[in-house]
Amino acid sequence: MKKSLLAAALFGAFAMSAHAQSSVTLYGLIDTGLVYTNNQFGHSNWQMVSSSTQNTVFGLKGSEDLGGGLHAVFKLEQGFLLNNGAQAFSGDGFGSQAWVGLQSDPYGTLTFGRQFDVMNDLVGPLTAEFNTSGGSMAAHPFENDNLAANSVVINNSVKYASPTYRGVTFETMYSFSNKAGDFGNNRSYGFGVSYAQGPVNLAAGYLQLNNAGNGAGAVTSGDASANFIAQRQRIWSLGGNYTFGPATVGLVWSHAQIDNASGVFSFGTGSYLGSGDTSAGSLGGSLRLDNYEVNAKYALTPALSVSGAYTYTHGAYNGSSPGWNTAMLQTDYSISKRTDFYLEGVYQNVHGAPADSVLSHAMINTLSPSATNTQVAVTVGMRHAF
């Protein structure tokens, strides 16, 4: 009897010890609201939408202490549309994120799987389009620089993130095509660095996609991960913000060089083809886009804030010089730490693009394109995190 009691006590102690060294968390974010758009395919529209500002997701994340400052870590996350329950990334069980890896306190973190790119990790948080104070609708045209809140997810990726040293963090990644005899077809790689100390936050990065959307590989069009179908897409970005009291102001520049492009998407909704078709919009040749963003946020009270952003995008396409003006204004009120309500307006105008081309129609991200060169959208929504 005594031996049985001793064995039970030892087993219980071991179980509690193992439990204390491991953790698994269920988490999520729900973003839903009503949007009015003045022009979609030539008509005004009222619609219920999901993820106007932040991705609606649920997921599991966990960590196990392996001893000596080493941890096994993982994350499985699925994006979905609240209004109809559909998957945000069609056909993917965990389309938003699916990775596992090792985290070392002194040496950094190495992860493997379907992940966000390193430039999105470090430069994205400095933009209005990444944060709740703007979000997806405020993204740069066609989300050409992958800086919005986790819109492009990359398969077959190996990512390394350094520990933070005197405010500096470095990340790099490589994503395999997984194609025998075609190693360079639909692969990706990049790097980023950030500095955060006191009120100052700076970051820069580079990302390259080779043959994105070309069948299976690093970035696919089948699950709406690819924004462009092109031979090569190269993105440089640089940004910074400064916080003083209740205010934060930021500047971001990015350059997207898209070579031998054949199609363009925007968050999987497609582009205007002139007949109401929402499949991929046609492109031919190369496209260059420079985005210049200024953003600001001011906390009127701990619960109430206002924010705004303006981006001018200068393009070069087949001898033309299209330009986009995108402006956003938002007010947000938090009723608790996990629940808030927002009112946001976005305006976009495009000029100088070839007539009746896919680039000549304004298209606020997450929405169907306008029949003209101007589009205005106003959304009122609710977010809840758990």
Side-chain angles (χ1 to χ4, degrees), residues 80-139:
F80 65 99
L81 306 180
L82 187 72
N83 54 310
N84 60 12
Q87 296 173 324
F89 296 92
S90 179
D92 294 341
F94 291 100
S96 292
Q97 298 184 72
W99 53 259
V100 66
L102 293 172
Q103 176 184 329
S104 168
D105 294 341
Y107 299 113
T109 303
L110 187 66
T111 51
F112 306 82
R114 179 174 169 88
Q115 307 177 73
F116 303 124
D117 69 77
V118 296
M119 196 173 68
N120 187 270
D121 288 347
L122 300 182
V123 184
L126 303 179
T127 70
E129 58 186 309
F130 185 96
N131 290 289
T132 57
S133 55
S136 302
M137 286 182 62

Side-chain angles (χ1 to χ4, degrees), residues 36-45 368-372 374-376:
Y36 167 78
T37 311
N38 73 322
N39 190 316
Q40 291 185 10
F41 300 127
H43 303 279
S44 63
N45 193 18
S368 297
S370 172
T372 72
T374 300
Q375 190 173 57
V376 178

Side-chain angles (χ1 to χ4, degrees), residues 174-220:
Y174 186 90
S175 302
F176 294 85
S177 69
N178 278 6
K179 296 180 178 180
D182 208 0
F183 185 82
N185 188 10
N186 200 347
R187 64 173 176 170
S188 174
Y189 51 88
F191 59 86
V193 61
S194 70
Y195 171 80
Q197 218 45 310
V200 177
N201 195 335
L202 305 172
Y206 173 78
L207 176 68
Q208 180 162 324
L209 309 174
N210 289 353
N211 286 313
N214 182 11
V219 181
T220 66

Side-chain angles (χ1 to χ4, degrees), residues 255-269:
H255 173 79
Q257 186 167 324
I258 304 156
D259 300 327
N260 294 326
S262 59
V264 56
F265 295 87
S266 182
F267 283 84
T269 61

